[in-house]
Amino acid sequence: MDRELQDKIAIITGGGHGIGRATVDCFLREGARVAVVDWSAGKDIDQMPDGVLYCRTDISKVAECENAVREIVKQFGGVDILVNNAGVQTYGDAITTDEGTWDFNMNVNLRGQWLMARASIPEMLKRGGGAIVNISSVQGLASQRNVLAYSTSKHAMIGLTRTMAVDFAGRGIRVNCVCPGTVDTPMVRATIAQDRNPERLRKALNNMHPLGRIAQPREIGEVIAFLASNRASFMTGSIVVVDGGLITPIAGSPE
Ligand code: BMA
């Protein structure tokens, strides 16, 4: 039997670390040809498996997105799948967030997803269709404290997903969104390390998920691979929560 993503050409943004890197492994296992779009320098990225095309790119910049997609098409011959995974998280509320923090989160998280879609969709159309998976967060549906710019950008990705799904459904492109809970990634590890009491925070993060732990990146990558594959052929515009139950309980449920 053919593998789920056999010979599909996939772009994974932020594929150097965390959820993106685990998604690279899932896609390779399923037979895809993978291009990683990431801004990290070579020495900073987790070892890339053989055959992965690495395009060092700042996805907040129009020309860099266009150049990356051009290079991928030159090397691989087209684009079938885009996983919009790259993201940053910085802290602040409506008064402590400065314009630079706002722009940083919006430009990388939201504008980057749109720019990569804009550069990739024409290539998908040439091949009769494709699949886009946008990675948002449970913070696209609800919010923690002190993450104004990040949570707002994650909410907007749900709008981006729905509008692109509606616009391109008739042209063979499915667009879906994944909302992970807390995942053991460099982004979350950095948050834990910055805390006054990292051990306490680590335990609290585990305990706040009804499954009793945070996710491993692979557990998100598997869902992304499914959504990108033909097994999800009737899914578009879907918002898929993968959070160990985090947003399910009514707040304050008594023991
Ligand atoms: C993610 C990040 C994590 C957080 C998780 C659950 O988007 O903000 O730092 O733990 O949501 O709220």
Side-chain angles (χ1 to χ4, degrees):
M1 207 188 84
D2 259 6
R3 290 178 286 175
E4 210 157 78
L5 300 171
Q6 192 66 46
D7 298 328
K8 296 290 185 196
I9 299 164
I11 301 176
I12 301 176
T13 72
H17 310 280
I19 295 171
R21 181 63 182 79
T23 304
V24 170
D25 288 338
C26 293
F27 273 52
L28 290 174
R29 186 194 68 209
E30 296 303 331
R33 302 175 73 193
V34 175
V36 164
V37 163
D38 194 301
W39 66 13
S40 307
K43 66 175 173 36
D44 295 326
I45 59 172
D46 297 343
Q47 187 105 47
M48 274 298 138
D50 287 346
V52 172
L53 175 65
Y54 185 80
C55 302
R56 191 170 178 199
T57 306
D58 176 349
I59 57 165
S60 68
K61 306 261 164 49
V62 178
E64 294 200 28
C65 293
E66 288 173 352
N67 287 341
V69 171
R70 200 173 304 120
E71 181 62 21
I72 292 159
V73 170
K74 199 166 125 205
Q75 300 283 332
F76 285 170
V79 179
D80 299 303
I81 296 166
L82 169 65
V83 178
N84 263 326
N85 163 76
V88 294
Q89 171 171 248
T90 52
Y91 292 90
D93 63 21
I95 53 173
T96 59
T97 297
D98 58 27
E99 296 95 305
T101 301
W102 173 271
D103 289 346
F104 181 55
N105 284 268
M106 289 298 166
N107 287 344
V108 176
N109 298 352
L110 182 59
R111 180 180 149 99
Q113 289 202 346
W114 165 53
L115 290 180
M116 282 303 297
R118 191 173 75 169
S120 304
I121 287 171
E123 296 302 329
M124 294 179 183
L125 292 175
K126 285 183 198 163
R127 292 160 74 84
I132 299 175
V133 184
N134 294 329
I135 313 308
S136 173
S137 164
V138 287
Q139 300 213 61
L141 296 162
S143 185
Q144 292 185 321
R145 288 184 202 91
N146 208 34
V147 276
L148 173 91
Y150 174 82
S151 183
T152 303
S153 76
K154 293 287 172 178
H155 276 74
M157 287 170 189
I158 290 174
L160 184 76
T161 301
R162 290 183 173 138
T163 61
M164 294 199 301
V166 169
D167 284 337
F168 293 98
R171 286 178 269 177
I173 300 178
R174 295 181 302 104
V175 188
N176 291 292
C177 181
V178 175
C179 294
T182 312
V183 186
D184 185 14
T185 63
M187 188 182 88
V188 167
R189 285 186 197 178
T191 302
I192 293 173
Q194 283 160 28
D195 195 76
R196 262 179 270 116
N197 188 342
E199 228 4 80
R200 185 206 57 85
L201 179 58
R202 190 189 308 278
K203 284 209 183 88
L205 287 173
N206 283 328
N207 291 338
M208 78 185 185
H209 295 73
L211 286 183
R213 60 177 179 83
I214 65 172
Q216 287 306 306
R218 175 65 70 101
E219 295 176 288
I220 313 301
E222 297 290 358
V223 178
I224 297 168
F226 167 73
L227 288 172
S229 79
N230 278 335
R231 290 176 69 200
S233 52
F234 203 55
M235 291 183 75
T236 197
S238 294
I239 312 305
V240 180
V241 176
V242 188
D243 71 343
L246 178 60
I247 62 170
T248 295
I250 293 174
S253 299
E255 285 292 315

